[in-house]
Amino acid sequence: DTAVSQTPKYLVTQMGNDKSIKCEQNLGHDTMYWYKQDSKKFLKIMFSYNNKELIINETVPNRFSPKSPDKAHLNLHINSLELGDSAVYFCASTRTRDSRGSEAFFGQGTRLTVV
Amino acid sequence: GQNIDQPTEMTATEGAIVQINCTYQTSGFNGLFWYQQHAGEAPTFLSYNVLDGLEEKGRFSSFLSRSKGYSYLLLKELQMKDSASYLCAVRESGGTYKYIFGTGTRLKVLA
């Protein structure tokens, strides 16, 4: 029973293509995130949704569009892929409370390679 | 601005103790988290501090000083499997539950 699951795990595609990454969590959390981890292993937040509402939208090209059909799912669609989009994309979820048990749980990551 | 600093790499010997430091400057503060990430895997939660002081959890302990913007992760009785990256993350206040991550410290444990 995977808590946060992402698909696909690996994605190799050509420049200019459009691709989607899917994420689902079965933890009953109300907030979900997309993070990008570059080759230097820096984990940078991209988006966050709370109960299907977008609450964090960092400086990300508008080729990236998140969608949350319900609070257990958060997908990421990327248009017109560029070489610089190559990275590992992590989905995460958390319970929004200011106490213990509020840590973020991460999916296994999607390694995107644009050629 | 937002800034979280950690040493890039550390090396230690099996059985030893290592301390990984983290300093932060963020817009607000609502908790500090440490994560472990093995190569090719997802980050996994290790510890959480929101009040000043030391939190102990088995071989791992984490310390926080909010006035100094400083935390450390202490790993005791190092094992080879502890070779991984250790990420310090600050959750900002303000209701967005935004986690800002440091660049991570790659720890190598030698036999």
Side-chain angles (χ1 to χ4, degrees):
Chain A
D1 286 346
T2 307
V4 183
S5 60
Q6 292 177 232
T7 53
K9 189 169 182 183
Y10 299 98
L11 186 53
V12 181
T13 188
Q14 290 189 325
M15 280 174 57
N17 283 352
D18 303 339
K19 289 293 177 187
S20 291
I21 308 171
K22 295 187 175 183
C23 179
E24 175 182 3
Q25 54 95 3
N26 62 5
L27 297 166
H29 288 169
D30 49 9
T31 298
M32 296 184 73
Y33 307 82
W34 279 112
Y35 279 86
K36 178 180 180 181
Q37 189 168 47
D38 59 24
S39 57
K40 295 183 179 176
K41 305 303 180 190
F42 179 54
L43 204 58
K44 183 172 167 54
I45 190 167
M46 300 173 70
F47 301 103
S48 170
Y49 273 75
N50 176 261
N51 285 318
K52 302 193 295 176
E53 181 184 345
L54 181 67
I55 55 170
I56 296 173
N57 185 352
E58 293 293 290
T59 310
V60 176
N62 58 14
R63 299 182 294 105
F64 290 78
S65 52
K67 275 200 174 61
S68 181
D70 55 61
K71 69 176 190 177
H73 295 84
L74 180 61
N75 304 323
L76 184 66
H77 187 76
I78 315 170
N79 288 327
S80 304
L81 278 155
E82 300 177 358
L83 293 177
D85 298 332
S86 295
V88 181
Y89 292 83
F90 284 101
C91 175
S93 72
T94 187
R95 181 177 289 116
T96 47
R97 65 180 189 205
D98 299 335
S99 64
R100 296 189 185 287
S102 60
E103 66 271 18
F105 287 76
F106 285 81
Q108 76 271 33
T110 296
R111 184 174 293 276
L112 172 65
T113 304
V114 182
V115 297
Chain B
Q2 303 165 341
N3 203 34
I4 299 179
D5 287 320
Q6 303 177 233
T8 304
E9 277 192 7
M10 298 183 74
T11 302
T13 308
E14 203 174 9
I17 298 173
V18 71
Q19 178 174 312
I20 302 175
N21 295 325
C22 169
T23 56
Y24 64 89
Q25 287 178 311
T26 53
S27 305
F29 180 85
N30 187 14
L32 187 138
F33 299 78
W34 283 95
Y35 283 82
Q36 180 189 61
Q37 185 177 25
H38 284 102
E41 296 182 10
T44 54
F45 169 72
L46 287 178
S47 70
Y48 164 70
N49 295 72
V50 67
L51 300 176
D52 290 353
L54 189 68
E55 292 284 339
E56 296 187 81
K57 207 172 173 184
R59 293 189 299 115
F60 293 3
S61 304
S62 57
F63 172 82
L64 174 67
S65 167
R66 288 171 297 170
S67 62
K68 295 181 180 175
Y70 168 70
S71 173
Y72 67 72
L73 180 69
L74 194 71
L75 292 79
K76 302 176 191 172
E77 300 167 17
L78 279 172
Q79 302 174 9
M80 299 296 286
K81 67 178 182 179
D82 297 330
S83 292
S85 287
Y86 290 86
L87 310 175
C88 172
V90 170
R91 184 172 61 199
E92 287 191 331
S93 55
T96 61
Y97 291 86
K98 180 178 177 180
Y99 295 79
I100 308 296
F101 281 82
T103 48
T105 299
R106 193 160 56 246
L107 174 67
K108 294 181 189 175
V109 179
L110 305 176

